[in-house]
Amino acid sequence: MTIAEIAKRAGVSKACVSRYLNNGYVSEEKKKQIRAVIEETGYTPSRQAQGLRTGKTHTIGVVLPKIDSETISMIASGISQVLTEKGFRMLLANTENEVRKELQYLDLFKNDKVDGVIFIATLLSDLHRDIIQSMPMPVVMVGQRADYLSCIFHDDRGAARELTELMMNKGRKHIGYIGVTEEDHAAGAERYAGFSEALAQGGMRIDPKRVQLSDFTLESGYAAAERLMTASPDTDAIFCATDNIGIGAMQYLKGIGKRIPEDVMVVGTGHSKMSEIVTPTLTTAHYFYHNSGIEAAHMLLELLENGIDMKKQIKLGYELVEQESTAG
């Protein structure tokens, strides 16, 4: 089945069918005629042929840090929802949280046949910036903020500040912090800034003995809580930069006989499924990860339509989810 045959059956011109297949303007009446023939015949246009005619592949590269992450899967689902509706394909690049692989995939997409790239970022370096700024196609970043490209990010600072204030308002005076490296601007620097602001506004100082770094695993959260409580056993509340860290910290606290929240309150960030089923349930901040994927895909398609020089940034809000780990 060819475009000429589709046109003949539908009673329209070949140019009209071509415009229809490439999302150009076609009257509603002619759209119905063409659609009816396509549905009747099961015709599927060749993407390769379309790409040769238009210079577009209708393929979007998506660079993500860990495909089996609950958070990342929600973002990817939002991206896929929009791209599928708009007739685009996703080409996934899973980096396994390795910066080297991120740079390799960004460089690969720079020279490959994709119309645009969505980058779900963790750490950002000068090398990231140099590659992204040299890319000939639009790039949208999710999860981090940078002035040199369009991005969707969360109010990490606001969420951390409100979670810390929650524990302070419940009378906690010796509040610890378990976070990730500040090289991760969102989960590290911004959440630590929100924690620090809350303490300062409440007239409290940061005790270095109560500040520990972790990675994103339960095991690392457990180990960080052990170091924190050993150095400062009078700690009565802990802000954790992620839910996984928080759940790991609670496992340690329960293991040494601490009652949660009576002896030590704990909060996390992200509102993972685990935060709802762990005992006690974990107070956290809900981020709209699925929506961030939807917004990123819409933003990229807008850039494809209007030009890559436009820089657009959207900060998404959050919802505080108070559960048993701060009850009372």
Side-chain angles (χ1 to χ4, degrees), residues 16-31:
C16 184
V17 176
S18 180
R19 287 197 303 274
Y20 175 88
L21 294 175
N22 289 289
N23 299 313
Y25 173 75
V26 179
S27 69
E28 288 301 319
E29 180 182 354
K30 290 181 179 178
K31 279 183 183 179

Side-chain angles (χ1 to χ4, degrees), residues 33 185 324:
Q33 294 169 221
H185 184 72
E324 294 168 352

Side-chain angles (χ1 to χ4, degrees), residues 60-67 72 75-76 79 83 90-110 114 116-124 128 131-132 135 137-143 296 300:
I60 302 300
V62 179
V63 180
L64 48 81
K66 199 167 180 63
I67 199 166
I72 300 305
I75 298 171
I79 295 169
L83 295 185
M90 279 191 354
L91 185 57
L92 294 179
N94 180 22
T95 68
E96 295 293 342
N97 279 320
E98 292 186 24
V99 172
R100 175 183 57 85
K101 287 185 178 180
E102 284 184 351
L103 296 170
Q104 287 176 343
Y105 279 123
L106 287 170
D107 195 51
L108 176 66
F109 284 145
K110 172 185 173 182
V114 295
V117 174
I118 297 176
F119 176 32
I120 304 174
T122 52
L123 305 182
L124 288 178
H128 286 96
I131 291 177
I132 289 170
M135 296 179 84
M137 71 283 291
V139 179
V140 170
M141 183 166 62
V142 183
L300 184 66

Side-chain angles (χ1 to χ4, degrees), residues 160 164 175-180 182 187-193 195-196 199 206-207 209-213 224 228 235 237-241:
T164 306
I175 303 176
Y177 173 90
I178 303 177
V180 299
E182 292 196 1
E190 284 294 293
R191 293 178 195 176
Y192 183 71
F195 169 80
S196 303
L199 290 189
I206 296 175
D207 185 342
K209 293 186 297 183
R210 295 196 186 99
V211 176
Q212 297 291 334
L213 290 183
L228 190 157
T235 297
I238 304 175
F239 173 90
C240 299

Side-chain angles (χ1 to χ4, degrees), residues 131-152:
I131 291 177
I132 289 170
Q133 289 185 320
S134 70
M135 296 179 84
M137 71 283 291
V139 179
V140 170
M141 183 166 62
V142 183
Q144 299 283 352
R145 181 180 180 274
D147 293 334
Y148 56 85
L149 79 165
S150 296
C151 51
I152 309 287

